[in-house]
Amino acid sequence: MSTEIRKTLARVDRPTFILALLLSVTGILTIASAGGEGAEELWRGQAKFLMLGLAALGPIILVPYPRLIRHAWLLYAGLIACLVAVLWVGPVLNGSQRWLRVGFNFQPSEPLKVVLVLLLARQFRFVRTERSLLQWGRALFLIALPVVLVARQPD
């Protein structure tokens, strides 16, 4: 393991990670112990998604925050395009059209929340003067666009 990766992993907040993992496992065990029809399928599905989440966590931890900030516009544009695609080609599941089928059901509004925070942080970070009305208007537009697209999805 390279020294850069070791330094990055050393900065991980271990107590928070362990608590989140314990909460996730407790939830899975609670579902499993509830029994009933379909409980086994539910807890196995939750366990599968926990494993997928942990597998995705590794590469995400290794991406430096400044790089995420630098590419926030690209991520934002891609996720907005996904939200628009949901309106046209998204499957209707349980009476709601919020996902894209890409081998699994992907809900673009969820990662967009994080990307929007990164984008707003980038926008306000590089302006050293008083916040102008134009800058606040731009920020409101960046927020309003996904809000409108998500609001168009049936509830």
Side-chain angles (χ1 to χ4, degrees):
M1 190 181 311
S2 77
T3 57
E4 185 177 325
I5 292 174
R6 282 193 186 124
K7 287 179 186 177
T8 301
L9 292 177
R11 289 191 308 259
V12 171
D13 185 4
R14 287 189 184 101
T16 301
F17 173 74
I18 291 169
L19 285 173
L21 188 60
L22 285 174
L23 281 172
S24 297
V25 170
T26 301
I28 292 169
L29 291 174
T30 303
I31 293 170
S33 69
E37 191 174 320
E40 184 175 346
E41 183 181 331
L42 281 174
W43 77 260
R44 286 185 187 272
Q46 291 298 312
K48 178 180 75 170
F49 285 119
L50 176 60
M51 293 300 129
L52 285 171
L54 289 173
L57 181 65
I60 290 170
I61 287 174
L62 297 176
V63 175
Y65 174 73
R67 185 176 299 163
L68 287 175
I69 290 283
R70 190 170 41 249
H71 297 296
W73 277 106
L74 182 61
L75 294 168
Y76 179 82
L79 288 168
I80 291 294
C82 288
L83 278 178
V84 170
V86 163
L87 296 173
W88 287 330
V89 298
V92 177
L93 301 171
N94 299 328
S96 186
Q97 186 178 19
R98 297 172 186 235
W99 298 271
L100 286 177
R101 186 84 182 133
V102 289
F104 59 94
N105 291 331
F106 170 66
Q107 190 172 5
S109 60
E110 292 304 315
L112 185 61
K113 295 173 190 176
V114 176
V115 170
L116 185 58
V117 170
L118 290 171
L119 187 60
L120 292 172
R122 175 192 164 110
Q123 179 179 345
F124 288 117
R125 176 183 179 198
F126 295 114
V127 175
R128 302 280 184 217
T129 61
E130 283 283 318
R131 308 287 186 243
S132 70
L133 189 58
L134 177 64
Q135 186 181 15
W136 284 106
R138 227 182 274 140
L140 286 174
F141 175 77
L142 291 172
I143 295 168
L145 183 58
V147 166
V148 167
L149 289 171
V150 169
R152 293 208 34 150
Q153 300 169 356
D155 189 11

